[in-house]
């Protein structure tokens, strides 16, 4: 057998299949058809029913048809030694299992399998005419979304309950062109993230402006996420690379909106605390001293009782109790001091500095995550 691929019309991720038009050529020798002469004899395609032909079929074919314009596209050619050339032009839709985990940076390997329906390996043996060169036409194909990187052929056997049947398999590897998705999805989503950062340079008193930017970018990002999944199967629950990136962009946009909510709340809290008789720092200091004093009193109260009951004890026992007192009180007090120091680190003394931190932290973290994202999906 040999075949020419005339075209690959559609490759559908939703239906997990591809549609191709091929010229299938089969050659075999029938000694009953030998005749004298040195020229081949071309017959009408309607004479196929009068000859023996292999019962070849396409495995995993969902729908196929033989072209019949203006007549049935069949070719029968008989050579003097009894060799028969049988060629047909068919269009078939074949299923192709796809792994869309790295979509749209994925590579798919599809196959075209040819088997004998009724004749087993004791009756018919299939083989490619010229090995990998038996399939032609792929070098001139131009697909809209894919590039054919490699193709090869193989010979195997199909095992069924009724016996072993010959099988020929044609493999071809497709690589998706990512440029379309960069211009259609990745660039717009990245620009939306950068647009959400504009609110960091707007005054916190401009509530309508900052809220408008945040809500608009969130809604636009949601629409972009829905549009990116229109060409993907809904039943496939695997997380794709494009879903991860859109989720990252949505998180940054939503985080920018939450950042203003936190900054605005801290600003209002600071303004309300200025009306109190004591400053906020003094109140925090007094509260801290009160807690530390309570911890110290709780540690010293049992020790005073122990001292009154142990006046007749020896100096060795008093020294041990004194050491146990210091070790028992110093540990909770040191822990409380560390906790207060940690809480002071997360305490916002000036809410207006939140925007300054966001102007630096948001772009830096987005760039780092982008580098990790592209390195992982392109090289792993």
């Amino acid at each position: 057998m040999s075949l020419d691929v005339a075209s690959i019309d559609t490759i559908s991720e939703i239906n997990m299949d591809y549609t191709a038009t091929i010229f299938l050529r089969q050659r075999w020798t029938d000694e009953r058809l030998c005749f004298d002469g040195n020229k081949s004899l071309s017959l009408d395609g309607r004479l196929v029913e009068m000859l023996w032909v292999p019962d070849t079929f396409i495995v995993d074919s969902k729908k196929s048809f033989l072209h019949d314009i203006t007549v049935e596209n069949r070719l029968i050619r008989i050579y003097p030694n009894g060799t028969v050339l049988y060629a047909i032009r068919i269009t078939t839709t074949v299923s192709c299992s796809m792994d869309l985990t790295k979509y749209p940076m994925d590579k798919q390997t599809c196959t075209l399998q040819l088997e004998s329906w009724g004749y087993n390996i004791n009756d018919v043996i299939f083989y490619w005419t010229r090995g990998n060169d038996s399939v032609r036409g792929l070098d001139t194909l131009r697909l809209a979304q894919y590039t054919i990187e490699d193709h090869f052929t193989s010979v195997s056997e199909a095992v069924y309950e009724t016996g072993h049947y010959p099988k020929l398999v044609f493999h071809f590897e497709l690589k998706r062109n990512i440029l379309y998705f960069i211009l259609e999805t990745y660039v717009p989503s990245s620009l939306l993230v950068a647009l959400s950062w504009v609110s960091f340079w707007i005054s916190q008193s401009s509530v309508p402006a900052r809220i408008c930017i945040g809500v608009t970018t969130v809604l636009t990002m949601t629409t972009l996420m829905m549009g990116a999944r229109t060409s993907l199967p809904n039943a496939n629950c695997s997380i794709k690379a494009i879903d991860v990136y859109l989720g990252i962009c949505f998180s940054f946009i939503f985080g920018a909106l939450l950042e203003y909510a936190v900054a605005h709340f801290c600003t209002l809290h600071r303004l309300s605390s200025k009306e109190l008789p004591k400053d906020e720092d003094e109140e925090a200091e007094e509260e801290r001293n009160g807690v530390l004093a309570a911890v110290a009193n709780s540690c010293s109260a049992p020790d005073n009782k122990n001292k009154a009951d142990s006046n007749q004890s020896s100096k060795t026992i008093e020294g041990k109790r004194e050491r146990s007192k210091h070790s028992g009180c110093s540990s909770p007090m040191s822990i409380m001091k560390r906790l207060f120091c940690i809480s002071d680190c997360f305490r916002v003394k000036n809410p207006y500095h939140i925007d300054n931190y966001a102007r630096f932290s948001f772009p830096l973290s987005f760039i780092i995550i982008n580098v990790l994202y592209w390195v992982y999906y392109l090289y792993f």
Side-chain angles (χ1 to χ4, degrees):
M1 292 188 187
S2 64
L3 58 91
D4 286 355
V5 181
S7 65
I8 297 179
D9 303 322
T10 58
I11 301 175
S12 175
E13 293 83 6
I14 297 178
N15 299 323
M16 295 286 183
D17 58 24
Y18 68 93
T19 301
T21 299
I22 61 175
F23 295 89
L24 178 61
R25 300 184 180 92
Q26 303 176 85
R27 290 180 176 84
W28 67 92
T29 301
D30 192 342
E31 297 178 354
R32 298 171 296 178
L33 300 177
C34 296
F35 63 92
D36 296 332
N38 55 4
K39 293 184 179 180
S40 62
L41 180 63
S42 296
L43 305 178
D44 190 279
R46 290 171 293 183
L47 296 177
V48 174
E49 298 178 357
M50 304 178 63
L51 303 176
W52 179 91
V53 294
D55 55 350
T56 306
F57 76 100
I58 300 176
V59 185
D60 298 332
S61 176
K62 297 181 179 180
K63 181 177 63 175
S64 302
F65 65 91
L66 176 67
H67 292 263
D68 54 1
I69 304 297
T70 58
V71 294
E72 288 188 352
N73 294 171
R74 293 184 179 181
L75 169 66
I76 290 289
R77 184 173 295 168
I78 302 177
Y79 293 88
N81 60 354
T83 300
V84 180
L85 170 62
Y86 177 46
I88 56 176
R89 184 168 76 103
I90 58 177
T91 296
T92 178
T93 301
V94 186
S95 63
C96 177
S97 299
M98 300 182 183
D99 183 11
L100 300 176
T101 305
K102 292 188 175 183
Y103 177 91
M105 291 166 281
D106 56 330
K107 294 182 180 180
Q108 307 297 338
T109 301
C110 297
T111 59
L112 179 65
Q113 304 180 46
L114 303 173
E115 288 185 15
S116 175
W117 175 255
Y119 298 108
N120 56 27
I121 57 177
N122 297 324
D123 303 322
V124 174
I125 296 177
F126 285 176
Y127 62 92
W128 293 106
T129 305
R130 295 176 297 273
N132 291 337
D133 295 333
S134 301
V135 181
R136 298 179 179 179
L138 294 178
D139 299 335
T140 58
L141 286 183
R142 294 295 180 266
L143 304 180
Q145 197 177 121
Y146 291 90
T147 301
I148 300 177
E149 285 200 329
D150 191 17
H151 63 89
F152 59 95
T153 59
S154 64
V155 180
S156 61
E157 293 182 2
V159 180
Y160 298 103
E161 184 179 355
T162 55
H164 296 245
Y165 297 87
K167 177 194 289 188
L168 297 181
V169 185
F170 167 58
H171 311 260
F172 58 99
E173 186 176 298
L174 301 171
K175 181 181 180 181
R176 196 183 304 272
N177 299 326
I178 194 176
L179 180 61
Y180 167 79
F181 297 93
I182 291 178
L183 299 177
E184 188 75 13
T185 303
Y186 285 95
V187 171
S189 58
S190 300
L191 292 178
L192 282 176
V193 175
L195 180 61
S196 65
W197 299 339
V198 175
S199 62
F200 300 153
W201 279 267
I202 300 178
S203 175
Q204 292 186 6
S205 59
S206 302
V207 178
R210 299 192 64 164
I211 292 297
C212 181
I213 291 178
V215 174
T216 303
T217 51
V218 167
L219 294 179
T220 307
M221 192 66 206
T222 303
T223 304
L224 190 63
M225 294 173 65
M226 295 176 61
R229 294 190 57 86
T230 54
S231 60
L232 296 176
N234 296 326
N236 196 338
C237 299
S238 61
I239 299 177
K240 305 167 186 62
I242 194 170
D243 296 332
V244 174
Y245 192 83
L246 292 177
I248 292 172
C249 293
F250 185 83
S251 301
F252 272 90
I253 293 175
F254 191 72
L257 183 60
L258 291 182
E259 183 271 344
Y260 175 64
V262 173
H264 190 65
F265 174 79
C266 294
T267 303
L268 295 178
H269 183 68
R270 179 180 177 83
L271 293 176
S272 62
S273 63
K274 287 182 178 180
E275 300 176 0
L276 299 177
K278 291 185 178 180
D279 189 75
E280 185 180 356
D281 295 335
E282 296 178 358
E283 290 182 359
E285 188 67 24
E286 289 184 2
E287 183 179 358
R288 181 191 310 170
N289 295 334
V291 173
L292 293 176
V295 175
N297 293 334
S298 63
C299 291
S300 60
D303 291 330
N304 293 333
K305 182 178 179 181
N306 292 334
K307 287 181 181 180
D309 296 337
S310 59
N311 291 330
Q312 305 298 327
S313 301
S314 62
K315 294 182 179 180
T316 305
I317 299 177
E318 289 180 356
K320 291 182 179 180
R321 187 182 297 117
E322 190 69 20
R323 288 193 299 268
S324 64
K325 176 188 70 173
H326 289 295
S327 62
C329 293
S330 60
S331 178
M333 292 181 66
S334 62
I335 294 175
M336 293 299 295
K337 288 181 180 180
R338 291 179 181 178
L339 291 177
F340 277 116
C341 292
I342 295 174
S343 63
D344 284 341
C345 294
F346 292 97
R347 183 177 160 202
V348 180
K349 296 194 167 100
N350 190 351
Y352 293 99
H353 291 168
I354 296 180
D355 285 340
N356 296 332
Y357 299 148
R359 294 171 190 173
F360 172 77
S361 60
F362 271 71
L364 180 61
S365 57
F366 187 70
I367 292 173
I368 294 175
I369 292 177
N370 262 274
V371 171
L372 296 177
Y373 173 86
W374 291 104
V375 168
Y376 175 78
Y377 281 104
L378 289 178
Y379 299 102
F380 293 98

